[in-house]
Amino acid sequence: MHFAHLFVTLHQYFELRMKKYCLDLTVRAVEQVHSRYVLLRLTSDEQLPEMEPGQFVEVLVDNSPTTFLRRPISIHFVDRERNELWLLVAVVGDGTRRLAHLKAGDTLNCVLPLGRGFAKPEKGERRFLLVGGGVGVAPLLYQGALLKRCYEHVEVTFLLGARTATDLLQLNEFRKYGRVLVTTEDGSEGEKGFVTNHSVLQQETFDMVQCCGPTPMMKAVVSYAWKAQVACEVSLENLMACGLGACLCCVEKIRQTDADGTEAVHNVCVCKDGPVFRKEELTWQI
């Protein structure tokens, strides 16, 4: 048996053992939202399973001689009325290029939902700041939508950063669910600089900050959260392979409290124990 076929067989075995859904979804539409990004809108004849913001799917890329592993992609949005799952795909290699060339009616095999998502609001948490950069904005749309729909007392502010105005993604979609603030490195839209330079961080206070994007950006956001004494979660984007915690490709050192009450640093799999972690769990030197 060819190695690629053997790996798919083993992967499907672990999927069934872990009781995850392995579904053949139908492509309803492929939208070019940017020169480097496409939006896949997927559906099914059956009702899609429950999914939480911050979780992800593992996508099987067919007919690619160089793509042996599934590709992890954040859940961008779930439209329950239309029974659609949205995936925002950054086109960076052969595998994602093949995803970008899918057509309406094609089938895409996905394992979902995977990982631990963003926390739900706790008592007293009213003002949420959702910070994203690049394709890291993907999981924040669904989080903002659920916060708006399910928690009437919660106010959502999106703080989205990019290199230039043309790199900002789906601002009109984000505006449906909260206030949208923008930074660009060249100042072509919003405030000039990085997200952590935005004036809102000095002018307003928040109860929870949730973040996804490049690691330097997330570290800067966590640093802000520590100084401001505000709760904070980040969605790590470690390289992943299996998505189930079997291959140990995405290991991260995380602070945890052992059974005896002592704090220790342990290696955990981001795909299974994350990808979302509280700032107190991170070992980043701030």
Side-chain angles (χ1 to χ4, degrees), residues 249-263:
C249 176
C250 60
V251 167
E252 181 84 10
K253 293 186 180 298
I254 295 295
R255 290 191 178 94
Q256 295 179 328
T257 302
D258 292 336
D260 61 2
T262 60
E263 186 182 88

Side-chain angles (χ1 to χ4, degrees), residues 9-25:
T9 302
L10 291 173
H11 195 68
Q12 291 171 339
Y13 167 73
F14 279 111
E15 290 161 1
L16 295 174
R17 273 192 80 214
M18 299 299 290
K19 298 181 180 179
K20 300 297 182 185
Y21 293 91
C22 184
L23 304 177
D24 285 328
L25 301 181

Side-chain angles (χ1 to χ4, degrees), residues 244-278:
L244 300 166
C247 69
L248 306 181
C249 176
C250 60
V251 167
E252 181 84 10
K253 293 186 180 298
I254 295 295
R255 290 191 178 94
Q256 295 179 328
T257 302
D258 292 336
D260 61 2
T262 60
E263 186 182 88
V265 175
H266 296 281
N267 290 322
V268 303
C269 292
V270 169
C271 67
K272 179 173 65 69
D273 300 293
V276 176
F277 294 94
R278 294 178 292 108

